[in-house]
Amino acid sequence: MHGSQEMDGAGSAFVFEGNWRDFAKIALPNLLLTIVTLGIYRFWATARERRYLWSRTRFVDEHLEWAGTGMELFIGFVMVFVLFGIPYFGLSFVAQALVARGYELLGIALSAFAALAIFYLLGVARFRALRYRLSRTRWRGIRGGSDTAGFLFGLSYMWKTAVGWIPAGLLLPWSMTSLWNERWSKMSFGPYAFEADAEAGNVFARYLLFYLTPFVLFAGGIIMAGMGMLAGYGVGGEEGRALGGLIGIIALVLFFYFGLGLIAVAFFAKFYREVVGATRWRNLHFTFTASTLDWVKLLVVDALLVVFTFGIGLVFLSYRHWKFFMTHLEASGEILLDELTQSQTRTAKHGEGLLDAFDMGAI
C-alpha cells in the first residue's frame, strides 16, 4: 500500500457493479427462509445481502467488503430485547396498573419516563448503527469505527430535537444538521476521523417552503371549494354547486398529500446534498448528486414495485436504495496510501440491535 490515489478528473470514485438478477438469487431464498423460520433468519439474510452489495461496490480501485455476520445481528437484537424491551414493557404494565388503581400521577410519571427512555435510545441507536456498519466495512483491509459508545449522543439527540420543535418546529433544520455534524465527527476510517460542518441556513429555504405550504393549501382550498361551488351552481343549480364543492375538496386533498409529499422530498434532497457535501475524510471531499426528481423516481418505482408484486418487491428495496446511494455519491481529493493504517477503534461484538428494534436507517 504505497503512494497516493488522486481522484479529481478520474471519473466516479464510487461504482456499483451489481445487477438485480444476481441479487434476486439471494433475496428470494432469503424471503422464503425468513418465512419458514418465522422471521429468525432475517438476521442472516441481512448479512448475505450486505456481503453481496458491498462486494459489488468499488471505491477507486478496490471493492468494499462486509465483515459482519448474521449471528452478530441476532445477538444484538436479543440483547436489546432483554436489556430494554422487557424493562420497557414491564414499566408500561406497572404504569397502567397504577392508573387503574387510582394512582394516576404516579402512573403518568412512569409512562413519561418510559417515553423519554425510548426517545433517548433512538439517538443512541442511530449512533451505534453507523459505528457498527463502519466497523464492519473494509476497504483495502482497512475498517472504520468510533471509540465513542453513543450514550452522550443520545442526550444530544434528545435536547437538540426538543429545541428544534419548541419554536413551532422552525429550528428542525438546525437540529438535523447539528446532529449530523456531531455524529459523523465522532466516526473515523483507518487512522483519520471524519469532519462535518453542514450549515442549517443552506437548507432553511426549502424547509420554509415545506413548513408554509399547509397554510397556503388551506387558504387555497377554501378558495378552490368556493370557486367550484359557484361554477357548479352556474351549470347545474343547487346540485351543481354541491358537486362543484365536492370536486374542489377532493382536488385539495389530493394536492395536499401529493403536493406536500413532493415538497418534503425536495427538502430532503437538498438536505442530503448539503450534509454529505459538508462531510470530509482527510483530503477527501464527498458530494451527493441526487436531485428531487431522482428521489421522486426512486420512491415512485419503490411503490409500484411493492404494489404490483403484492409485497414481494419489498425484498428488492435494499438493493435499489444501495444502488441509488452509490450512484449519486462522489468523492474528490487525494488518498495518501502510505499514511493509511488500520483503525484502532474498538469493535462491538454484536450488531444493530437498537436499530433493528426501532426500524431506523443508519445513515
Side-chain angles (χ1 to χ4, degrees):
M1 191 182 299
H2 300 287
S4 63
Q5 185 70 53
E6 180 72 47
M7 277 167 285
D8 290 337
S12 179
F14 291 93
V15 177
F16 181 64
E17 301 171 337
N19 65 74
W20 70 269
R21 295 178 185 82
D22 290 339
F23 185 79
K25 296 175 184 175
I26 297 172
L28 293 177
N30 278 348
L31 175 63
L32 182 61
L33 287 170
T34 301
I35 293 173
V36 169
T37 60
L38 303 178
I40 294 176
Y41 186 75
R42 72 183 183 88
F43 305 101
W44 286 266
T46 299
R48 287 187 66 198
E49 291 180 1
R50 288 181 185 175
R51 276 197 293 274
Y52 172 80
L53 296 174
W54 266 241
S55 68
R56 298 300 188 275
T57 303
R58 181 162 50 83
F59 176 60
V60 190
D61 60 347
E62 191 83 7
H63 288 87
L64 301 182
E65 178 189 354
W66 174 258
T69 66
M71 181 57 74
E72 290 173 350
L73 297 173
F74 178 70
I75 292 174
F77 182 82
V78 171
M79 287 180 65
V80 167
F81 182 74
V82 173
L83 297 178
F84 301 105
I86 294 177
Y88 172 76
F89 287 115
L91 205 59
S92 299
F93 177 78
V94 172
Q96 292 176 10
L98 286 172
V99 171
R101 291 174 181 270
Y103 300 100
E104 288 88 355
L105 286 179
L106 189 55
I108 292 172
L110 274 178
S111 297
F113 175 77
L116 282 175
I118 291 296
F119 191 20
Y120 169 73
L121 291 174
L122 284 171
V124 178
R126 294 185 70 85
F127 187 95
R128 293 176 72 89
L130 180 58
R131 183 183 75 156
Y132 171 73
R133 293 189 186 188
L134 282 172
S135 73
R136 297 301 188 271
T137 297
R138 303 284 192 272
W139 181 73
R140 287 174 169 261
I142 306 296
R143 66 171 175 82
S146 174
D147 274 328
T148 305
F151 298 119
L152 289 178
F153 181 82
L155 294 176
S156 292
Y157 181 82
M158 288 180 72
W159 78 261
K160 287 182 178 178
T161 302
V163 167
W165 279 105
I166 286 175
L170 281 172
L171 286 181
L172 280 178
W174 167 82
S175 170
M176 293 168 67
T177 51
S178 176
L179 288 170
W180 175 281
N181 293 340
E182 181 176 344
R183 188 165 57 129
W184 276 95
S185 297
K186 300 292 184 185
M187 302 292 164
S188 63
F189 198 85
Y192 305 119
F194 287 93
E195 299 174 61
D197 53 5
E199 296 284 346
N202 293 335
V203 299
F204 191 74
R206 289 282 182 101
Y207 180 74
L208 206 57
L209 178 66
F210 172 72
Y211 187 88
L212 294 176
T213 296
F215 301 103
V216 175
L217 286 177
F218 181 74
I222 294 176
I223 296 173
M224 286 176 61
M227 292 176 64
M229 292 171 69
L230 287 175
Y233 184 77
V235 174
E238 290 295 330
E239 292 185 358
R241 183 171 64 178
L243 181 61
L246 180 62
I247 292 174
I249 293 172
I250 292 174
L252 172 65
V253 171
L254 291 176
F255 187 70
F256 187 85
Y257 279 102
F258 291 104
L260 194 60
L262 182 62
I263 296 171
V265 171
F267 165 68
F268 279 102
K270 176 66 176 176
F271 172 77
Y272 277 102
R273 287 199 298 273
E274 168 62 22
V275 294
V276 174
T279 303
R280 302 178 300 282
W281 178 72
R282 188 63 169 169
N283 296 321
L284 283 185
H285 295 258
F286 299 97
T287 54
F288 194 64
T289 62
S291 65
T292 300
L293 183 59
D294 293 324
W295 282 94
V296 170
K297 289 178 181 175
L298 174 76
L299 296 174
V300 169
V301 176
D302 277 357
L304 294 175
L305 181 64
V306 173
V307 170
F308 285 101
T309 60
F310 301 101
I312 295 176
L314 276 170
V315 299
F316 290 100
L317 297 193
S318 59
Y319 168 85
R320 286 179 44 73
H321 295 172
W322 179 264
K323 180 181 179 181
F324 178 81
F325 187 71
M326 288 302 159
T327 300
H328 293 95
L329 183 63
E330 296 287 352
S332 61
E334 184 182 26
I335 303 175
L336 299 176
L337 299 177
D338 291 338
E339 298 179 3
L340 193 56
T341 56
Q342 184 58 279
S343 171
Q344 299 302 311
T345 55
R346 291 172 293 179
T347 57
K349 302 298 182 186
H350 54 80
E352 309 152 346
L354 282 170
L355 184 85
D356 264 349
F358 296 130
D359 192 22
M360 298 164 61
I363 303 300

